Amino acid sequence: MPTSSPSPVGNNDGPSLTASAIIAPAVSGSHVLKIDGYSRTKGLGNGKRINSDTFTIGGHRWCVQYYPDGVASNDTDRISVFLFSDRSDDTEVKAKFKISLLGQDRQPVPQYSFSSLIHTFSTKEAAWGFAQFIKKYDLEESLHLKDDVFSIRCDVTVLKEIFTEPIRPPVVVPVPPSDMHQHFGQLLLAGEAADVNFEVGAETFAAHRCILAARSSVFKAELLGTMKEKTATHIRIDDMEPKVFKALLHFIYTDSLPVMDEGDGAATAQHLLVAADRYSMERLKLICEGKLCDHICKSTAATTLALAEQHGRVALKEACFKFLTSPGNLKAVMASDGYDHLRSSCPGVMDELVAMLAP
């Protein structure tokens, strides 16, 4: 009975991804041929040409062939223009080109701009172009011929040999997430190099005035501006609870909120929203607003709505209104301790609420 051979130790049969690219390089360039004395070139004879100076594009020599009386016997009333590959060997050249009559602004005239397909220039076919480029009468009656002078531009794109090359995967250097907030948080906890102290209630908090100023325009004005606190090393804050100021400092240094007790989270977010508004910290205000939107209940709806109105938090106000549209919720809120405060501090909000609930 045939048996299968075991896989070699360490063999990795997992998926792999390789990549390659097909490169079709090209080199482009342009040459302008000025015909000064057009009337004196006419009559040269059908099939007779005048060559431009030789120019180099893509490592190959070229010239523009100008036939003032046409290249073929049936084109005597037209000007013919060709691109000629001036080669000294038998190599073939693949190229495409565009021949344009230039206006007085030196820009191609769309009506007389002709693009070719990709042609192979060889010893047998050394020139390609446009036999019926423009009628002589049309040129002579146009504004493009001025003082017996007009110009032609030839744009050439030489196609190089197509090749394939592997695409090497980028080198990935693993970079850990930023831990700057941890370093600043440790600086706050250690109080190293602190140059200002805040007395809040019975607690004192050491901080760094430059960090506070960088995070809050209000702190910047107080600590680095012309206010008296600029030179003070001890600042008293009487209208804020210590735990709220501590949370404010934590956010200033780490851009995040500290861990809050589940039962105390909504109340702390309310007080922190007031502090954020006081110190003009918009991101903190939005974070607190979002937390309060998620913690609206019958016992907090009235105070939260008053807070939203007083501090211009539109989303929080709408969330409170949505909660109060339920008759059961509204009745419970009207019986809460915060309802009288809402009526006295924000009478306009009550008018909005009554109008919204009116049938």
Side-chain angles (χ1 to χ4, degrees):
M1 180 179 295
T3 58
S4 59
S5 301
S7 299
V9 177
N11 182 37
N12 183 6
D13 294 329
S16 63
L17 176 64
T18 59
S20 62
I22 296 175
I23 311 297
V27 179
S28 299
S30 301
H31 181 81
V32 175
L33 174 62
K34 178 181 178 181
I35 293 87
D36 189 347
Y38 158 72
S39 61
R40 294 186 293 276
T41 65
K42 292 196 305 180
L44 182 67
N46 179 247
K48 299 294 182 64
R49 67 173 182 264
I50 306 172
N51 290 343
S52 72
D53 195 10
T54 302
F55 54 93
T56 301
I57 297 176
H60 300 275
R61 294 164 57 84
W62 309 86
C63 74
V64 176
Q65 296 179 334
Y66 164 62
Y67 292 82
D69 296 312
V71 69
S73 59
N74 58 342
D75 295 325
T76 55
D77 62 336
R78 298 175 185 267
I79 295 172
S80 302
V81 183
F82 281 71
L83 173 65
F84 176 76
S85 176
D86 185 9
R87 293 169 299 104
S88 58
D89 52 35
D90 294 333
T91 59
E92 295 182 345
V93 183
K94 288 187 176 181
K96 60 180 181 179
F97 56 91
K98 179 180 180 181
I99 298 178
S100 307
L101 175 68
L102 296 184
Q104 294 302 316
D105 58 357
R106 310 299 293 173
Q107 297 300 312
V109 179
Q111 184 180 356
Y112 299 109
S113 296
F114 304 96
S115 299
S116 76
L117 300 174
I118 296 175
H119 290 296
T120 299
F121 292 80
S122 63
T123 54
K124 294 182 179 180
E125 296 288 349
W128 297 87
F130 304 101
Q132 300 179 345
F133 180 69
I134 187 173
K135 290 183 177 180
K136 290 188 280 187
Y137 175 81
D138 292 341
L139 174 65
E140 292 163 6
E141 294 298 315
S142 73
L143 298 176
H144 312 309
L145 178 67
K146 184 178 181 180
D147 298 329
D148 208 27
V149 177
F150 74 98
S151 297
I152 297 169
R153 193 175 83 187
C154 182
D155 302 302
V156 184
T157 298
V158 179
L159 308 181
K160 298 294 186 176
E161 182 179 355
I162 299 175
F163 62 93
T164 302
E165 67 179 15
I167 298 177
R168 295 176 176 81
V171 177
V172 178
V173 178
V175 179
S178 172
D179 59 355
M180 181 184 294
H181 61 286
Q182 296 177 359
H183 293 291
F184 277 90
Q186 292 168 1
L187 181 66
L188 174 64
L189 290 176
E192 297 175 348
D195 55 0
V196 62
N197 291 288
F198 293 90
E199 297 178 5
V200 186
E203 298 186 35
T204 300
F205 300 92
H208 307 78
R209 61 179 68 234
C210 287
I211 294 179
L212 301 183
R215 298 281 282 154
S216 163
S217 58
V218 176
F219 272 128
K220 183 177 182 179
E222 290 180 354
L223 302 176
L224 301 182
T226 57
M227 301 177 68
K228 65 179 182 180
E229 286 87 351
K230 178 180 180 181
T231 56
T233 57
H234 288 77
I235 298 175
R236 179 74 187 175
I237 297 178
D238 294 315
D239 50 353
M240 189 179 301
E241 295 181 9
K243 66 178 181 180
V244 175
F245 189 77
K246 183 178 181 180
L248 176 68
L249 286 180
H250 185 277
F251 182 85
I252 287 175
Y253 278 75
T254 67
D255 206 38
S256 64
L257 293 180
V259 178
M260 300 180 184
D261 295 334
E262 185 64 28
D264 195 35
T268 301
Q270 287 184 349
H271 291 296
L272 199 52
L273 174 60
V274 176
D277 197 20
R278 171 176 174 174
Y279 289 104
S280 189
M281 300 184 66
E282 187 62 29
R283 174 172 158 79
L284 180 56
K285 285 192 287 183
L286 292 172
I287 292 175
C288 293
E289 184 177 16
K291 283 188 172 295
L292 291 173
C293 285
D294 295 334
H295 289 83
I296 298 173
C297 63
K298 296 175 182 178
S299 62
T300 63
T303 55
T304 299
L305 179 56
L307 191 70
E309 177 68 11
Q310 292 166 352
H311 295 276
R313 310 322 297 173
V314 177
L316 183 57
K317 181 178 177 180
E318 291 179 355
C320 290
F321 276 173
K322 184 177 180 180
F323 178 82
L324 293 173
T325 53
S326 170
N329 290 340
L330 179 60
K331 185 177 180 179
V333 170
M334 292 177 67
S336 68
D337 296 336
Y339 182 69
D340 291 337
H341 171 70
L342 176 63
R343 290 183 58 187
S344 61
S345 61
C346 306
V349 171
M350 297 305 301
D351 294 338
E352 291 183 53
L353 182 61
V354 171
M356 183 180 65
L357 296 176

